[in-house]
Amino acid sequence: MAPRNRIIIDTDPGVDDVLAMLLAFSAKPEELEVLLLSVTFGNIDVQSCLRNIITLFHFIEKERQWRKSNGRPEGFETLNACKPIVAVGAEEPLADQIMMADYFHGVDGLGGIHSSHPHLSPADTWKSLFDSALSSSDPEEAAAAREVQHSHTLFTPSKRPAHEEMLRLLRENEIDTITIVAIGPLTNLATAAATDPEAFLRAKEVVVMGGAIDAPGNVPPLPLPHPSPTSHAPTPPPFNLIKQPATPLRAALNHRNQMTPGAEFNTYADSVAAARVFALTSPNPASTMPPVAPAPPGKQSADPPPPFLSPYPEKLSRQLKLTLCPLDITTPHELTRGQFTAYTASLLSPLSSSSSSPPSPLAEWSIAFLSSTFRKIESLTPNQTGDAVGLSLHDPLCIWYVMAPHMGGWRAEVCDVRVETSGQWTRGCCVVDRRSRNRREDAWEVGEDAGNWLSERLGNRVRVCVGSPGFDVFGGWLLERVYGEK
């Protein structure tokens, strides 16, 4: 048996995050071992993200029971070998104002499924798993909490912050044995790296879904609501989108502020965190660190707790190996509505004409939120209709990369990629030096090359994924792994 690729998934589920986790858990034990799901804000607020993870495990458990009762392989074998930890992390970015992608993923991250299909949502008993009930001095309260925990058998809830769990695992395991797959904003990773840089650098690799190198950004303008004849257009207050209710004002804020032609959502959602993590790929991280944000009232600029993270030490034992999967490579890998519908059709009907078997729970659940997603894509994308509508598999591609690294076709180029954090129009944009000039071994003077882009000793060293086993291969491979062979 080949050695397992042990991974931590940092995630903000969302539709494609859920598909990525389903793919990871469908792996064989010799392919992947998922140690931790580190939850962050991003597509939606962090508590909704957590609910989606609990729902995911709920349906994996129901699916395995359904497959067993129908004489099918249960699948999701990696969960037999390792029960992952689930830990809750960042609720907001380090310095930027919070942005969410609920305009695309829905207010709950899954196209509004928790409201439109309440029968497909698990009971809210899981909420007690992440509070203090398990360690309560009241025997009855502790026993009730343990009973709830026992009902969720596929994961282990943690009361530690996600970045602390991440660092603990990196410290307790051999160096270069754990890969971090980051498919949301990089706030948890930046916090872990600032807390203990040397422990963070024990990671074998950090695989990031983020950024746009040559591709356009994916944080689009939103349609404004149509005001009634008697209403007045809302006046947006002088701040970006925050935790507002779903009102016309929020839609106006979205339209005004959640818009960029150049940035990908994850780097846009916390540009400072992305810049700090990317800086660890440099021989001299100080050369590419973002400007320090001003301290708020009552805080000193030297205070280290988040969001004012400590600078990295001048000397670090090693550089971070970071592989970036930007929109350039993720966008062309699609799952079309036609592919998905054709593959899951047989899972919705009885297995034989004489059978009264219910449909596959996993197929029923995923059809509910993916149908909503395909409709949203169809409404936003010109010239895509019917079965041709395609969902870009941004986050699942990162799992494919770590799950099947030996498949032919994976290619990466090392580039000096930096994330803009302070530009008026360019927040979250990836900047790459495309000049063909020679590099110098010594550092440039600032006046000659501002930012020391052309120095051999400074600048970031990001591995940008530019090739995969095939754009047309992945969608079918994912369906077969997640839903089983036909």
Side-chain angles (χ1 to χ4, degrees), residues 219-474:
V219 188
L222 305 176
L224 279 171
H226 296 290
S228 66
T230 57
S231 68
H232 298 284
T235 302
F239 51 77
N240 291 337
L241 176 64
I242 58 172
K243 298 173 183 177
Q244 293 284 328
T247 61
L249 174 59
R250 176 168 177 161
L253 288 169
N254 266 312
H255 183 82
R256 178 182 176 186
N257 295 314
Q258 198 161 354
M259 176 196 297
T260 169
E264 177 275 331
F265 177 79
N266 289 340
T267 55
Y268 183 65
D270 196 339
S271 60
V272 172
R276 288 185 62 104
V277 174
F278 284 27
L280 285 171
T281 69
S282 173
N284 183 352
S287 68
T288 61
M289 284 283 278
V292 177
K299 285 281 187 180
Q300 300 298 315
S301 58
D303 288 348
F308 301 98
L309 301 181
S310 302
Y312 299 131
E314 288 187 15
K315 298 289 185 183
L316 291 170
S317 62
R318 59 193 294 189
Q319 294 166 236
L320 180 68
K321 180 182 178 182
L322 188 149
T323 299
L324 185 69
C325 295
L327 293 178
D328 310 58
I329 190 67
T330 62
T331 301
H333 293 82
E334 289 188 336
L335 175 66
T336 68
R337 178 191 270 158
Q339 273 182 296
F340 178 72
T341 302
Y343 203 95
T344 55
S346 63
L347 300 174
L348 294 179
S349 58
L351 301 180
S352 69
S353 57
S354 61
S355 172
S356 59
S357 172
S360 152
L362 181 60
E364 186 179 25
W365 176 59
S366 52
I367 284 170
F369 67 78
L370 280 173
S371 296
S372 170
T373 304
F374 285 127
R375 287 195 298 271
K376 173 63 71 174
I377 295 169
E378 191 169 21
S379 72
L380 294 173
T381 311
N383 305 319
Q384 271 202 26
T385 58
D387 286 350
V389 174
L391 169 66
S392 290
L393 299 170
H394 302 297
D395 297 338
L397 186 80
C398 296
I399 300 297
W400 194 28
Y401 171 82
V402 296
M403 191 171 166
H406 303 301
M407 289 182 70
W410 294 112
R411 291 184 296 111
E413 296 176 354
V414 178
C415 304
D416 185 354
V417 182
R418 309 186 194 182
V419 177
E420 176 61 68
T421 61
S422 56
Q424 181 180 2
W425 310 116
T426 55
R427 165 182 159 186
C429 286
C430 287
V431 182
V432 184
D433 191 351
R434 304 183 188 283
R435 293 173 293 179
S436 59
R437 295 170 60 188
N438 292 331
R439 294 181 177 271
R440 290 180 51 170
E441 290 187 7
D442 58 326
W444 287 87
E445 295 295 330
V446 170
E448 296 181 53
D449 180 37
N452 288 304
W453 288 86
L454 295 172
S455 169
E456 291 285 359
R457 299 182 183 181
L458 305 176
N460 292 337
R461 307 288 188 270
V462 175
R463 299 177 72 253
V464 179
C465 185
V466 297
S468 79
F471 298 160
D472 299 329
V473 174
F474 185 35

Side-chain angles (χ1 to χ4, degrees), residues 31-109:
E31 291 175 323
L32 281 188
E33 182 178 354
V34 184
L35 302 177
L36 169 67
L37 298 179
S38 165
V39 189
T40 179
F41 81 98
N43 291 315
I44 45 171
D45 66 278
V46 74
Q47 285 301 313
S48 295
C49 290
L50 180 60
R51 175 169 62 174
N52 291 342
I53 286 177
I54 305 302
T55 306
L56 168 69
F57 282 117
H58 172 75
F59 276 97
I60 289 176
E61 195 158 20
K62 290 184 69 173
E63 177 71 8
R64 294 176 77 181
Q65 293 169 358
W66 178 84
R67 291 182 186 181
K68 184 176 181 179
S69 67
N70 286 283
R72 293 172 172 242
E74 290 184 37
F76 302 102
E77 295 175 27
T78 192
L79 290 172
N80 296 331
C82 178
K83 186 161 72 169
I85 298 165
V86 175
V88 182
E91 296 184 0
E92 57 188 6
L94 297 176
D96 297 322
Q97 289 157 322
I98 191 167
M99 297 288 187
M100 292 184 289
D102 54 3
Y103 69 92
F104 180 82
H105 293 271
V107 293
D108 60 5

